[in-house]
Amino acid sequence: MGKKITIEPVTRVEGHGKVTIHLDDNNNFKRSRLHIVEFRGFEKFIQGRPYWEAPVTVQRLCGICPVSHHLAAAKAMDVIVGAGTGDGLTPTGEKMRRLMHFGQVFQSHVLHFFHLASPDLLFGIDGDPAIRNVIGIAKMHKELAVQAVMMRKYGQEIIKVTAGKKIHGTGAIPGGINRHLEIHNKISLINGPDPMNIDKMIEWSLGGLDFFKNYHKDHKDVIDNFAAYPSKHLSMVRKDGALDLYHGVLRAIDSEGNKILNDVDTQDYLKHIAEEVRSWSYMKFPYLKKYGPKDGWYRVGPLARLNTVDFIPSPLAQKEFEIFQAYTDGKPNNMSMHYHWARLIEILHCAEMMKELLNDPNLMKGELVTKGKKGNEGIGVLEAPRGTLFHHYKINKDDQITMANLIVSTTNNNIPMNLAVESAAKQFISGQEKIDEGMLNAVEVGIRAYDPCLSCATHAIGKLPLQVKLYDSNNNLLDIKTKD
Amino acid sequence: MKKKFKILIDGKELSVKHGQTILEVASNNGIYIPTLCNYVNLEPQASCRVCSVKVNGRPMTACTTTVRPKMEIENDTKEMNELRKIIIETMFITGNHFCPSCEKSGNCELQALAYRLKMDVPQFSYSFSNKDIDASNPKLMIDHNRCIKCKRCARGIKTDDGKDIFAFKNRGKKIMISIDNELAKNISDEKAQEAMDICPVGAILKKERGFIDPIGTRKYDNKPIGSDIEKLMEVRS
Ligand code: SF4
Ligand code: FES
């Protein structure tokens, strides 16, 4: 008589997901799955709407990284209004958007690392769930918690001065941006009173990296071996191979570091990437066409980016990148927990880039919008905090959207997250006599490394609404354990 | 010269002339009475009832009722504001007003009134009526989801030679605004913008204008609707 374990909802991730683990009579691992039980249907209800509405409407997909959808949709609309495929904007248009994006990635990464992931590191994967959360961090590591709050706030201020609002703004419009950076905002973001200034943000970003590297030194086993497995990696990179979160060409490498996709124009993504639907999840399964659905899967996000790029175009982050690369002798890094390391390097890069852009005179004056010959189809690709994000639209002659296809970052990581679940389940649950909360959290830690955006992370505060259901092989409910 | 007489609005004594409407008198004296179907230089038509005030105990529309001696008018009272709020909310529930993705947000009179009247929690259920967008015109787009049937467009927007561009078609529940595409396809950009501006909501959109107004610079971003009128009083006193 086998068993089925259900973890629902998965906590400290953005959204609602469920994990099922099937065990055989001896409690040995049989099969596991991460199910996405949420369906939003944005692609459907945007149909018929005017194309210029898309950047504002689709960002409602997400309350954590709306700017990513805002910008990806705006980039697609740039193509439609004839403003080129990523390099046709005015300097002001492009740089304001870039600043907005850096603010976004900065705050999203900070939220994830310090609020959602660090409890597992600071209190241990099997630590007391009552304190193993952001409240616990706030109580016992106050300084870290305060830093995280202020860094997030800083990123949100950047979004506000570029998009008009901290969340769900309107800054990016087809062909450019609708505002300049105002002088008082520039001054306060560069030189604001401690700690709300860019130099402090850079200092704290370095501090975050030190924190991780020290932890890593003492916990190599967890960080290096937990849910580690070889995979392909995909991201957008700048034409010269630099890390570029806003625009570039697509590149993918295999687990050995060979380039299996290089210099691919983002407008051609469909020639190389396809999606498969499986009955048990609303989330699709993207894959590289030339390897087929079974072997074509890949990872995206901070780890994948640092694996695909050749260098980081900001000095401090580049230095950290070199340390990161040296750790695997320049070979691709396939350790899931190193997502956190990569994320922290990107936080530093964002801070450096924000400083550069805040000092750039182009943001304060100059043309905001460009337009050219109108087309009826546009693709916008962006490196969102969680990985490569594809937006694809078609419009009719009356300016109405007739087709929308979105491949969100988390979807790209669908198979990798399923593999992380499998790997953690095998490592921590398989063959165990008794299954406790710590073992189940281990499964969640595997998913959490990918910072999936499934819905709402607040579940983790206070109560831990984790429900575990044990079924026999005939799906008869044997036992329910609810933790609160 | 017409003889002046006195009336009271919310206890305030005002010296007025025959022939003026309550709304005009109030506005001239820095008193805000909310309106929707009314618009500068258009003949008032009293269809929305948002401007309702109580005149000697009886509800009347301020945009069409002319002042008479001995009028005692209740305007900014809990009762009248509640009534207005209900009217506004009815407009929200009969249409599909999705402010977060509407480019008129921040410039929309309906939204601004809802804020001013503190329409927080809906008291009625939404009708989720199935309405279309008419995007066939090259210059303008009509989103029927948002039309509140104020007729401001039909009354105010004409071609240079005086022809109507907008009109109502159908009757009763099915009544809807329609656009004369033949006439409208050649209108200037300025006229298209005028049409967008005359519409109190986001039902008429000048195509491809989109979200060009940055947040913070839109009409009602920093001050509630009506404050321009109320400011008049502050300046005078
Ligand atoms: S389209 Fe606008 S102006 Fe015309 S009736 Fe409808 S709401 Fe009023
Ligand atoms: S403004 Fe008077 S009835 Fe509409």
Side-chain angles (χ1 to χ4, degrees):
Chain A
M1 190 169 59
K3 270 184 196 159
K4 176 179 158 190
I5 300 172
T6 308
I7 304 179
E8 184 184 12
V10 178
T11 56
R12 278 186 281 137
V13 298
E14 312 302 342
H16 196 109
K18 177 173 95 171
V19 171
T20 53
I21 302 163
H22 293 256
L23 306 175
D24 68 12
D25 294 344
N26 302 319
N27 276 359
N28 286 322
F29 178 85
K30 256 172 59 185
R31 188 185 73 199
S32 67
R33 276 169 179 176
L34 167 64
H35 310 251
I36 303 305
V37 286
E38 176 172 61
F39 180 66
R40 294 230 171 162
F42 263 76
E43 282 141 317
K44 188 80 201 145
F45 81 59
I46 192 87
Q47 283 175 19
R49 301 304 310 174
Y51 71 82
W52 55 85
E53 222 177 63
V56 172
T57 307
V58 292
Q59 61 180 337
R60 300 259 158 190
L61 265 171
C62 178
I64 299 295
C65 72
V67 169
S68 308
H69 292 290
H70 181 55
L71 289 175
K75 284 184 78 179
M77 296 315 159
D78 293 344
V79 182
I80 283 178
V81 301
T85 55
D87 33 25
L89 299 195
T90 63
T92 312
E94 176 166 340
K95 287 176 183 176
M96 280 293 276
R97 284 198 195 172
R98 282 182 179 271
L99 180 60
M100 190 195 302
H101 190 38
F102 285 124
Q104 154 73 14
V105 178
F106 185 75
Q107 69 92 22
S108 171
H109 276 5
V110 165
L111 169 80
H112 179 262
F113 183 74
F114 292 100
H115 289 172
L116 306 183
S118 77
D120 294 321
L121 305 184
L122 288 167
F123 301 112
I125 289 172
D126 56 355
D128 178 1
I131 56 162
R132 196 191 55 215
N133 54 43
V134 66
I135 304 289
I137 296 280
K139 276 197 187 135
M140 313 194 32
H141 300 269
K142 204 163 164 226
E143 208 173 303
L144 202 67
V146 170
Q147 274 185 23
V149 169
M150 300 314 277
M151 286 168 91
R152 180 136 194 261
K153 190 159 180 256
Y154 187 90
Q156 286 172 328
E157 280 306 318
I158 293 276
I159 296 172
K160 189 174 169 202
V161 303
T162 47
K165 269 164 78 188
K166 285 182 186 165
I167 193 158
H168 300 145
T170 62
I173 55 177
I177 193 94
N178 68 10
R179 67 203 304 141
H180 290 104
L181 178 65
E182 288 174 37
I183 181 80
H184 65 275
N185 291 327
K186 171 181 171 153
I187 293 171
S188 82
L189 285 161
I190 295 176
N191 284 324
D194 194 57
M196 292 301 278
N197 58 64
I198 190 62
D199 288 324
K200 194 62 164 188
M201 293 303 131
I202 293 175
E203 184 192 318
W204 279 352
S205 304
L206 284 162
L209 269 159
D210 282 342
F211 166 78
F212 179 86
K213 285 189 285 186
N214 283 331
Y215 182 86
H216 187 193
K217 239 186 265 152
D218 302 334
H219 300 83
K220 278 212 162 29
D221 187 38
V222 179
I223 297 294
D224 293 354
N225 300 327
F226 187 88
Y229 49 84
S231 76
K232 300 179 182 64
H233 299 269
L234 177 128
S235 86
M236 196 167 62
V237 303
R238 202 165 77 185
K239 273 216 169 87
D240 62 357
L243 175 70
D244 193 329
L245 301 172
Y246 177 75
H247 191 64
V249 288
L250 294 172
R251 179 186 279 184
I253 57 158
D254 64 17
S255 58
E256 293 301 312
N258 304 306
K259 293 193 181 94
I260 51 175
L261 209 67
N262 200 18
D263 256 342
V264 169
D265 189 326
T266 52
Q267 302 300 305
D268 292 334
Y269 85 104
L270 272 183
K271 286 189 193 149
H272 304 277
I273 293 167
E275 290 175 285
E276 195 196 17
V277 179
R278 294 184 194 173
S279 60
W280 46 271
S281 180
Y282 275 126
M283 189 151 72
K284 292 185 200 167
F285 292 80
Y287 60 91
L288 293 173
K289 275 184 175 173
K290 70 172 163 187
Y291 297 93
K294 196 168 162 285
D295 298 320
W297 61 276
Y298 51 84
R299 287 194 258 199
V300 298
L303 184 72
R305 284 194 283 258
L306 295 205
N307 277 328
T308 45
V309 303
D310 300 325
F311 66 100
I312 297 183
S314 65
L316 297 174
Q318 168 64 18
K319 245 170 91 191
E320 295 295 332
F321 176 61
E322 284 162 17
I323 301 171
F324 175 87
Q325 275 197 315
Y327 193 73
T328 51
D329 293 326
K331 286 258 175 264
N333 185 327
N334 286 307
M335 299 170 259
S336 292
M337 293 298 272
H338 286 221
Y339 260 96
H340 297 306
W341 191 358
R343 200 168 280 125
L344 287 157
I345 296 174
E346 287 191 342
I347 290 176
L348 177 60
H349 172 63
C350 290
E352 288 183 281
M353 293 311 288
M354 287 191 284
K355 183 169 180 176
E356 188 181 311
L357 285 166
L358 283 168
N359 283 297
D360 190 323
N362 284 156
L363 283 87
M364 313 270 304
K365 54 179 191 299
E367 285 292 315
L368 296 171
V369 179
T370 26
K371 285 187 183 175
K373 193 174 171 308
K374 204 154 123 201
N376 56 11
E377 182 168 6
I379 290 158
V381 181
L382 193 80
E383 280 300 323
R386 293 158 181 83
T388 320
L389 169 65
F390 299 86
H391 276 220
H392 184 180
Y393 303 90
K394 285 183 189 163
I395 65 167
N396 63 17
K397 63 168 191 11
D398 294 332
D399 297 327
Q400 292 170 288
I401 293 171
T402 52
M403 188 285 298
N405 186 41
L406 315 180
I407 309 180
V408 303
S409 325
T410 297
T411 308
N412 284 308
N413 273 334
N414 199 350
I415 291 194
M417 287 190 296
N418 271 285
L419 283 174
V421 167
E422 181 180 319
S423 150
K426 279 181 182 163
Q427 195 176 338
F428 290 88
I429 292 177
S430 194
Q432 300 286 342
E433 271 287 291
K434 251 187 95 215
I435 292 146
D436 63 26
E437 194 276 339
M439 296 170 189
L440 296 173
N441 186 48
V443 173
E444 294 188 70
V445 169
I447 303 168
R448 223 172 269 142
Y450 292 84
D451 185 13
C453 187
L454 312 179
S455 111
C456 164
T458 49
H459 288 309
I461 295 178
K463 291 180 178 182
L464 186 68
L466 185 75
Q467 198 177 55
V468 183
K469 291 178 181 169
L470 295 174
Y471 296 88
D472 66 17
S473 46
N474 297 321
N475 264 354
N476 297 317
L477 187 64
L478 293 178
D479 194 12
I480 301 180
K481 279 184 190 161
T482 308
K483 302 248 164 69
D484 56 26
Chain B
M1 206 177 114
K2 282 182 193 159
K3 236 182 92 194
K4 286 202 166 187
F5 58 91
K6 297 207 178 337
I7 61 161
L8 287 173
I9 298 185
D10 292 338
K12 189 176 171 201
E13 200 177 77
L14 303 175
S15 170
V16 301
K17 280 185 276 186
H18 277 289
Q20 290 180 299
T21 63
I22 297 174
L23 184 65
E24 281 164 349
V25 166
S27 304
N28 290 341
N29 286 282
I31 295 168
Y32 175 61
I33 300 175
T35 58
L36 252 186
C37 68
N38 203 50
Y39 194 68
V40 272
N41 300 332
L42 291 187
E43 195 61 34
Q45 63 157 18
S47 64
C48 76
R49 307 268 145 183
V50 167
C51 68
S52 296
V53 290
K54 260 194 177 170
V55 180
N56 299 339
R58 282 183 51 209
M60 312 275 260
T61 48
C63 66
T64 47
T65 309
T66 47
V67 285
R68 302 237 183 288
K70 296 208 185 97
M71 272 186 170
E72 281 185 31
I73 295 159
E74 294 164 56
N75 169 43
D76 193 8
T77 61
K78 193 162 181 262
E79 186 192 2
M80 293 325 288
N81 285 331
E82 273 307 310
L83 178 78
R84 290 164 184 154
K85 191 158 88 181
I86 288 172
I87 297 172
I88 295 294
E89 192 172 333
T90 321
M91 294 178 186
F92 271 96
I93 60 157
T94 46
N96 297 306
H97 297 272
F98 189 52
C99 299
S101 64
C102 177
E103 60 205 81
K104 198 69 181 261
S105 185
N107 289 322
C108 170
E109 291 175 38
L110 183 69
Q111 182 194 47
L113 277 169
Y115 276 125
R116 171 147 185 155
L117 295 167
K118 302 198 170 56
M119 192 194 96
D120 313 318
V121 228
Q123 12 181 355
F124 311 118
S125 46
Y126 284 80
S127 65
F128 297 114
S129 47
N130 216 345
K131 296 194 171 96
D132 272 342
I133 301 183
D134 179 358
S136 57
N137 189 275
K139 292 270 171 71
L140 294 170
M141 185 165 231
I142 313 286
D143 189 341
H144 293 291
N145 291 291
R146 301 169 181 163
C147 176
I148 57 167
K149 324 246 171 15
C150 69
K151 255 188 173 175
R152 275 161 48 161
C153 54
R155 288 181 290 151
I157 302 296
K158 319 265 167 187
T159 57
D160 292 342
D161 52 353
K163 293 201 182 95
D164 287 343
I165 295 176
F166 296 93
F168 270 126
K169 65 177 185 196
N170 305 336
R171 292 189 159 273
K173 264 190 161 176
K174 289 196 176 140
I175 194 164
M176 67 199 284
I177 202 78
S178 71
I179 180 167
D180 185 326
N181 267 343
E182 265 317 297
L183 287 180
K185 79 178 178 218
N186 296 321
I187 57 169
S188 64
D189 280 356
E190 291 71 38
K191 183 70 83 186
Q193 185 60 52
E194 214 182 291
M196 179 167 176
D197 291 341
I198 207 169
C199 179
V201 292
I204 301 178
L205 303 175
K206 180 170 177 256
K207 276 193 171 178
E208 308 202 290
R209 192 181 180 281
F211 294 82
I212 195 110
D213 299 330
I215 294 170
T217 66
R218 301 170 308 181
K219 222 165 159 184
Y220 307 116
D221 275 341
N222 305 312
K223 45 184 190 343
I225 190 168
S227 41
D228 48 340
I229 292 171
E230 288 160 334
K231 211 167 144 210
L232 221 95
M233 178 148 78
E234 283 163 30
V235 173
R236 283 188 192 164
S237 57

